[in-house]
Amino acid sequence: MEAENLTELSKFLLLGFSDDPELQPVLFGLFLSMYLVTVLGNLLIILAVSSDSHLHTPMYFFLSNLSFVDICFISTTVPKMLVNIQARIKDISYMGCLTQVYFLMMFAGMDTFLLAVMAYDRFVAICHPLHYTVIMNPCLCGLLVLASWFIIFWFSLVHVLLMKRLTFSTGTEIPHFFCEPAQVLKVACSNTLLNNIVLYVATALLGVFPVAGILFSYSQIVSSLMRTSSTKGKYKAFSTCGSHLCVVSLFYGTGLGVYLSSAVTHSSQSSSMASVMYAMVTPMLNPFIYSLRNKDVKGALERLLSRADSCP
């Protein structure tokens, strides 16, 4: 098959989950419901944090940013997938695929950075409570978020520019429901060595370093709590960290599942199902984890909904 540089009019074929026509309405309803729940849940978190003065703290500032990133993350892939299912088509334009790759890397990277920053925030709050407001001042919080955006912007851009120089066969099929970066590299006809090196470096930056930061923060937190004799203090500390630990476990657990499924098995169906957990289930569950396990967020949501009910 002849390899050629794709133009903006060229297309990839996203194979998706199933060709069974009877299954398409079920998939459409399922993924549409998950998407709406994710967007609504994360929007409620953002509104609750912004409208309640009790939540104007660094921890909830980072949480609202995480909710915003989760909305953007799921909106990068699901709307196009829903359109394809509804229209019974499988294609995505070349530029549309590169756009998906760019924003997927950006928002997935922001998730990892924000989770690491939130772990650092808990470390300062528990291990250095007297200096917390001085260290985690609004200027530093804003700087941490802006620095994360800046770093991930350039890494994503470099990766996409390198991917743009690759050649693909006409009518290339991607065994996935979105343009997952590793899957796109697998179907390229030209040499992808440089792309893979950049992808591994990005994985180290966006995965290994944030995880190391999270592990260090919680090792210090546990060490500090071991020296605390107050049972009430330990319970309060663990309760504030519980939601974050659940989100971290869910995010990295599903991410590891995607990696292992693609490395161990060559089944596109298994890889796609693992990616659903990573790209859709995790952003959907985050608001529930924070609202159900965090009394402050739960109270803010109740006040927000009560104000909405009282409006004529």
Side-chain angles (χ1 to χ4, degrees):
M1 190 177 294
E2 183 183 357
E4 58 180 26
N5 271 324
L6 297 178
T7 64
E8 291 185 12
L9 297 176
S10 300
K11 297 176 180 179
F12 288 137
L13 295 178
L14 298 174
L15 298 185
F17 291 98
S18 173
D19 292 325
D20 186 355
E22 295 182 357
L23 195 58
Q24 301 307 305
V26 177
L27 292 175
F28 182 83
L30 175 64
F31 293 136
L32 178 61
S33 301
M34 293 174 69
Y35 178 69
L36 293 177
V37 168
T38 301
V39 172
L40 179 60
N42 283 287
L43 275 177
L44 284 175
I45 293 290
I46 295 172
L47 289 173
V49 171
S50 59
S51 64
D52 197 313
S53 59
H54 296 92
L55 301 184
H56 292 174
T57 63
M59 180 172 70
Y60 297 113
F61 168 72
F62 296 131
L63 174 59
S64 61
N65 276 273
L66 182 67
S67 293
F68 170 75
V69 169
D70 281 341
I71 292 174
C72 296
F73 185 40
I74 196 171
S75 297
T76 302
T77 57
V78 176
K80 175 60 179 173
M81 179 181 63
L82 293 174
V83 169
N84 282 9
I85 293 175
Q86 183 67 17
R88 304 293 173 88
I89 58 176
K90 295 184 177 182
D91 58 81
I92 183 172
S93 68
Y94 173 61
M95 291 307 297
C97 188
L98 289 184
T99 302
Q100 268 199 355
V101 170
Y102 175 78
F103 285 111
L104 276 169
M105 291 196 68
M106 174 177 282
F107 296 128
M110 276 304 299
D111 263 337
T112 64
F113 282 155
L114 285 172
L115 290 174
V117 168
M118 292 170 78
Y120 174 71
D121 172 73
R122 292 299 82 206
F123 158 69
V124 176
I126 294 172
C127 298
H128 305 284
L130 298 180
H131 301 96
Y132 178 71
T133 55
V134 176
I135 297 174
M136 299 303 295
N137 58 76
C139 182
L140 178 63
C141 293
L143 185 62
L144 288 172
V145 174
L146 287 175
S148 299
W149 279 112
F150 181 80
I151 294 171
I152 194 60
F153 169 82
W154 285 108
F155 258 87
S156 302
L157 184 61
V158 167
H159 184 73
V160 169
L161 290 177
L162 287 174
M163 189 174 286
K164 200 172 187 301
R165 57 184 277 277
L166 300 176
T167 56
F168 299 86
S169 299
T170 304
T172 297
E173 295 181 345
I174 299 176
H176 221 288
F177 66 93
F178 63 88
C179 290
E180 201 268 332
Q183 294 290 340
V184 176
L185 292 180
K186 285 181 180 179
V187 298
C189 296
S190 50
N191 193 326
T192 60
L193 176 61
L194 182 59
N195 297 77
N196 285 319
I197 291 173
V198 172
L199 187 61
Y200 291 143
V201 171
T203 302
L205 175 69
L206 308 180
V208 177
F209 290 156
V211 167
I214 291 170
L215 292 176
F216 173 78
S217 296
Y218 275 103
S219 67
Q220 295 299 306
I221 289 172
V222 171
S223 176
S224 176
L225 292 178
M226 289 299 182
R227 297 192 298 268
T228 303
S229 57
S230 172
T231 305
K232 184 179 180 181
K234 290 181 180 179
Y235 174 78
K236 184 178 180 180
F238 279 121
S239 64
T240 59
C241 296
S243 300
H244 180 255
L245 280 173
C246 287
V247 171
V248 168
S249 302
L250 186 63
F251 181 81
Y252 284 104
T254 54
L256 184 62
V258 171
Y259 173 77
L260 292 177
S261 67
S262 60
V264 174
T265 178
H266 296 289
S267 170
S268 60
Q269 197 76 10
S270 300
S271 179
S272 296
M273 292 306 297
S275 294
V276 167
M277 294 294 296
Y278 176 71
M280 297 180 65
V281 175
T282 301
M284 182 181 70
L285 292 182
N286 285 354
F288 293 100
I289 293 172
Y290 274 102
S291 60
L292 293 176
R293 294 185 59 88
N294 191 301
K295 293 181 180 179
D296 294 333
V297 175
K298 188 187 297 184
L301 285 173
E302 290 174 354
R303 288 189 290 271
L304 177 65
L305 294 175
S306 65
R307 285 200 298 269
D309 291 337
S310 63
C311 290

